[in-house]
Amino acid sequence: MAVPEHQGDARAGVHGDVGARMRRFRKERGLTLRGLAAASGLSIGFLSQVERGISAIGLTALNGVAAALGRGVGDFFGEEPRREEPQAPQPPGHFTLTRAQAGATEYISGQQTYRMLSARGQNLVLEPLLVRIAPGGRREDAYGHPGEEFAFVLEGELIYEVDGVEHRLHPGDSVHLRSAVPHSMYNDTDRVTTVVSVVTPRLF
């Protein structure tokens, strides 16, 4: 059973901050909610809920909104993401090396916390993430976007909807899809679910 939205969750105001920035950026561009919905592929109702802090938005869907508003995803999280420690210098270009003891960058959007698993590489296209999905909250609309997406459940359970069909994933289960197919994920349990996710193109 999912816990009520925002119950006992310190993240309650975080997706509201994302929504407030979305509204500000949209108005700066002179766009209505209808215009943003048409440009991003998301519904007017869902975008309205995000702007009002009622619903959270995942990073891939936020990437579509950011592109429609001429912004980067990082702009919606304030001046700087949360960093545990400074990242060590990384080899340029064709590869990166991320040590276990290195600091990690995390972004929080509503019920979901995204931990970056690698540094940026100029010629690399994958975005590897460790995603923690807290229980509860409102379910995000299914959404399609360019690229591919892979998710592997480490702990907990997750409903992953692909093209209108729901699949319940348990630890050790994975899903890999072309991201143009409408999809969404939701944690309807009473515990945090942890997933390794790899998406293309890069979000940051």
Side-chain angles (χ1 to χ4, degrees):
M1 177 179 176
V3 299
E5 182 182 12
H6 302 159
Q7 178 177 314
D9 191 347
R11 300 183 181 91
V14 175
H15 63 264
D17 295 339
V18 171
R21 291 188 178 95
M22 183 186 298
R23 180 188 293 112
R24 176 162 58 88
F25 298 156
R26 175 176 62 79
K27 290 184 175 181
E28 288 174 356
R29 299 278 291 192
L31 275 177
T32 62
L33 274 173
R34 184 178 300 277
L36 181 56
S40 66
L42 297 165
S43 71
I44 296 173
F46 175 67
L47 290 173
S48 175
Q49 290 178 345
V50 173
E51 286 195 354
R52 289 181 288 141
I54 297 173
S55 290
I57 183 170
L59 280 188
T60 52
L62 184 58
N63 190 49
V65 170
L69 296 175
R71 292 278 181 167
V73 171
D75 294 343
F76 292 81
F77 295 92
E79 295 182 3
E80 292 290 338
R82 190 178 81 196
R83 290 183 183 275
E84 296 175 2
E85 296 176 11
Q87 287 278 2
Q90 296 290 333
H94 60 284
F95 87 108
T96 68
L97 176 63
T98 304
R99 300 290 189 185
Q101 68 271 22
T105 301
E106 291 189 347
Y107 294 89
I108 302 174
S109 178
Q111 306 303 110
Q112 299 178 18
T113 300
Y114 302 87
R115 178 183 176 123
M116 314 301 286
L117 293 181
S118 76
R120 306 299 85 207
Q122 181 178 352
N123 300 315
L124 303 178
V125 298
L126 299 179
E127 186 81 275
L129 305 159
L130 185 69
V131 187
R132 293 187 295 275
I133 306 108
R138 292 180 182 264
R139 187 164 180 170
E140 182 181 334
D141 286 353
Y143 174 71
H145 56 90
E148 291 188 33
E149 189 162 327
F150 170 84
F152 178 87
V153 179
L154 293 176
E155 58 182 16
E157 298 179 14
L158 185 68
I159 292 179
Y160 214 107
E161 179 185 329
V162 182
D163 204 16
V165 179
E166 290 185 355
H167 307 273
R168 182 172 294 277
L169 305 183
H170 299 88
D173 293 341
S174 65
V175 61
H176 184 186
L177 65 144
R178 288 203 175 277
S179 305
V181 177
H183 58 283
S184 67
M185 60 182 180
Y186 182 68
N187 180 1
D188 67 341
T189 72
D190 58 1
R191 56 176 293 193
V192 173
T193 297
T194 305
V195 177
V196 172
S197 178
V198 182
V199 301
T200 64
R202 288 192 322 199
L203 302 174
F204 296 94

